[in-house]
Amino acid sequence: MWGENCRDHEDRDSDRLVHGAGAMSAVSNLIKPELLQRALDLAAIGRSVLPVRPNKKPLLKEWTSLQAARATVDQITDWSAKLKPAAWAVISGAVSGVAIVDFDGEPGGAWLKQFGLRPHVQTGSGGAHVHFMHPGVPVKTMNAKTATKAWPWPGIDIRGDGGYAVTVGRNSHGTYEQLRA
């Protein structure tokens, strides 16, 4: 079910996201206006975006409102000018229409290969994010740290409602590369 939704979601977003030549290439040489443009592009396809520090922590003291309503173009532009974020994250869940699965390290890479998934984002540490269409029912943000029982998927984190995942920019480990919309 989610695999089908992912393809439908990818096709719909790819049709709506218009970039110039090479816009989906590595973001390693992004200057701030380009980073801002990437955030605005994400917002244009319905993603709720959040400015983050190099340690991936939000630059906004209060961001829970962005879990229910997306920021405006003016807000995003203002945050970019005033806060100068190192990166932008997508807030996962119903607000953005996506649940994000984060594949980290060798175990995560093995799962990604086993599932035969194409990443949407390569992370700064070499991991991968895969975006799935939000199913319309609550999706928990879960990982080994938050699981109430033994986590059966080492190297996998699920970013559901109320979570976020860095999508463009840099963190302390490296550059995030958006591979597809």
Side-chain angles (χ1 to χ4, degrees):
M1 175 177 112
W2 277 36
E4 285 181 30
N5 286 342
C6 183
R7 282 188 293 278
D8 293 343
H9 185 64
E10 173 190 342
D11 293 342
R12 184 188 74 226
D13 287 348
S14 294
D15 290 343
R16 290 192 310 181
L17 184 61
V18 179
H19 288 289
M24 296 299 282
S25 64
V27 293
S28 60
N29 295 320
L30 280 183
I31 57 174
K32 293 298 179 182
E34 291 175 20
L35 186 57
L36 169 59
Q37 188 58 54
R38 297 285 176 90
L40 293 172
D41 289 346
L42 289 165
I45 61 167
R47 304 294 186 263
S48 185
V49 296
L50 175 68
V52 297
R53 296 177 168 91
N55 66 0
K56 301 189 283 186
K57 300 293 183 193
L59 279 164
L60 303 176
K61 290 179 183 177
E62 194 289 312
W63 60 276
T64 56
S65 63
L66 297 174
Q67 296 172 25
R70 293 184 294 275
T72 66
V73 168
D74 288 341
Q75 286 174 304
I76 295 167
T77 303
D78 187 53
W79 294 334
S80 180
K82 290 180 180 172
L83 303 174
K84 301 188 183 349
W88 290 87
V90 166
I91 297 176
S92 54
V95 69
S96 289
V98 292
I100 301 171
V101 181
D102 182 5
F103 296 86
D104 290 322
E106 286 184 38
W111 286 113
L112 185 69
K113 185 175 180 179
Q114 181 178 338
F115 296 151
L117 298 171
R118 278 183 40 224
H120 289 82
V121 175
Q122 181 175 332
T123 70
S125 61
H129 294 166
V130 178
H131 296 194
F132 292 93
M133 182 181 280
H134 191 274
V137 296
V139 176
K140 284 180 128 181
T141 293
M142 302 180 348
N143 58 36
K145 294 176 189 170
T146 61
T148 56
K149 298 180 181 178
W151 186 246
W153 304 286
I156 294 180
D157 298 333
I158 299 169
R159 309 282 188 233
D161 294 286
Y164 67 89
V166 176
T167 302
V168 296
R170 294 188 57 80
N171 72 6
S172 55
H173 297 288
T175 301
Y176 280 71
E177 181 180 352
Q178 188 174 354
L179 304 172
R180 61 190 179 114

